[in-house]
Amino acid sequence: MSETTRPPHLPQIRLYQQWLAEHRGLRFDSYDALWRWSTTELDAFWQSIWDYFELQSPTPHTAVLARNVMPGADWFPGAQVNYAQQVMRHVQPAHAAGFAAVVSRNEKGRHGELSWPELRRQVASLALHLQAQGVKPGDRVAAYLPNIPEAMVAFLATVSIGGVWSICAPDMGTNAVLDRFRQIEPVVLIACDGVTYGGRDFDRLGVVAELRAALPTVRHVLLQTNLAEGDADRADALQRVAPCASFEQATARDDATVRAFEPLWLPFDHPLWIVYSSGTTGLPKPIVHGHGGTLIVGLALKILHNDIGCSYAPNSWGERYHWYSSTGWVMWNAQTSGLLNGTTCVIFDGNPGGSKDRPDWTTLWRFAAETGVTFFGAGAAFFANCLKAGVDLSTCGDLSAVRALGTTGSPLSEDSQRWGTEQFRKLRDDAPVHPEPAPVRPEPVSVRPEPVEGLTRAPLRQAEPERSGTQTQPAGIPNQRDEDIWWCNISGGTDFAGACIGGNRELPQTPGRMQCRLLGCAVEAWNEKGQPVIDEVGELVCAQPIPSMPLYFVGDVDNRRLIGSYFDTYPPGQGRRPGGGDLDASAGAVWRHGDWLRIHPDGSCVIYGRSDATINRHGLRMGTSELYSAVESLPEVMDSMVVDLEYLGRESYMPLFVVLREGHALDEATRRRITDSIRTALSPRFVPSDVFQVAEIPRTLSGKKQELPIKKLLLGQPLEKVINREAMANPGCLDWYVAFAAQREGLSSPP
């Protein structure tokens, strides 16, 4: 790896603290002190984020947090922003430095690199096309696209003109997509002809036709030909869903109007996108986030906590950011947010585990090695599968550029984290040792965005704080060859399009834990009395607003669903005083996230799973992740799920379902090993009532175990009321659980 692409020397959060000292006179003797300031002095903290990232607005904001109430917080009134405007600030300097905006590949090996000027041109061309179709600010644009650069282009084009974006993955069936898109009444549908996954092509033109027929508000359809090869195939695909326009033609325009195009300035709280809850029960919640809140929180999270720098900044020269995701998961939105800071995004479309008949959990690792990824992110289940499959990273190519591993989606087990740490330790120790060359600091790029008349902020900073002499390893940071890989374990989610717990490169790492509560996120664990606790498992609440919390749900009269989802557990005013204490009811209620959380005395955190799927055995409460860690540590167990059926005075019954490695059966010896592991790792209280071998554990499209729907099914609720098959990754496995539930009720023979 050349010197100009070496990993960053100074953690981004340290640079921010240096800026606070220089520009605000603020110095903190610990991260905890910094966090407490950020969650008690909300105006000062979020103004510092605005200033640190030199955000632009043609009109000044009149306050930072004009109204501190939940729900309904009023952030940066008077400011105007645009997500796409922030992205486009990087076109000239990033291109001048020689970096691409998006690097992409699919299962078939189709590789592409989208330059920053080409990204801007395609966005402008499509934005003008949408305007010509009558799309106005506030109109909804629905997309049915895979994880390809065209999805990013379509998103940026939509929001650049004030349209509201919403996307579903093409692995979702018609009904699941309609459950989402019918609620938002889109005027434009942007869809693909099909996708490739697990070595197979899946035609989606029939679904596209069904979507159009069932969405009467759609006035215009754009078709992206993802599978078609050659002009004849593309023409045939377009004809099959006619009338429609070609996405390729809509992004092909290149004239003076395109070159002069600029994204619209919009109010800070103008709707940006609509994302959806998991959709496991009832209709998914269509959650609306705003431009400004998503933008400012995205910068704070991605840079300060995930330590993902600008690709053309000297301190993070050559940064390449990858987080494996489908477009059906909010991590697609998180991956796209890398563009906000001028970071090259590296995306993969397809199955990270190879095909069904030829599984290969080295696929993403080889992709990362070949593309020079510096930050490698994926769901926790991915790392667990790599561990189970015995992946040896030394066979995957040169991964020396990778300096951080990110994970979310479900709790990361200690074993998975230790596996990854040991793998990278071996890569480091086995690497040939060469004398360190004299460090070369790349010259700061001098190209700057054109000034905008009336802007209240300076253009984005291009260079990091000056250091005298050559750039050497700073004091207090061990040489990268001598330190373990850094894990950035985060938790937050779709609800506020970000994270509230995550990483800090300068804090100690403990396997199985997240390092800290994030800046600006007043996260607490509350006991049954609604009191904050430390070193106890409690409800995860946010006691203060975060700018990216939902603006509203589409079609939600008087915010009833919004309040019922997050704000009706505790009395209004309880726990709402910044720094602790109560306010009157006019301050609103705290945000209840729905997860079990333990905050350790050192500030590190563990999420134990959904609070409504938690095990409560004989008065002791425990998150399911602890049991999974004990069970899945056994080499013969591939996957597992437990549900606790103690409910409304019924006798407690807790079945455990396990998927065993091929060649293993649930005989008495295996059953004993499973229960002994639980008894040893946890307590005899948590030994399950029964253990059953199953073919698959039901999971959502984002890989989460569907504990709560199966719990409700086994408590007697009908399947159609508790789960949406088309929002599942493996709906075929449900038949076994339905039969099991019927057998429990004595209605049929056991499955």
Side-chain angles (χ1 to χ4, degrees), residues 460-482:
L460 185 69
R461 166 192 313 109
Q462 305 297 337
E464 305 296 345
E466 293 293 328
R467 287 165 235 144
S468 60
T470 58
Q471 200 175 52
T472 58
Q473 196 73 22
I477 297 291
N479 187 293
Q480 189 120 9
R481 289 186 56 84
D482 299 327

Side-chain angles (χ1 to χ4, degrees), residues 451-505:
V452 178
E453 184 177 357
L455 282 184
T456 61
R457 302 292 165 191
L460 185 69
R461 166 192 313 109
Q462 305 297 337
E464 305 296 345
E466 293 293 328
R467 287 165 235 144
S468 60
T470 58
Q471 200 175 52
T472 58
Q473 196 73 22
I477 297 291
N479 187 293
Q480 189 120 9
R481 289 186 56 84
D482 299 327
E483 64 179 358
D484 282 330
I485 192 74
W486 177 58
W487 285 87
C488 183
N489 305 339
I490 67 173
S491 182
T494 303
D495 308 84
F496 47 77
C500 55
I501 303 171
N504 179 333
R505 186 174 275 277

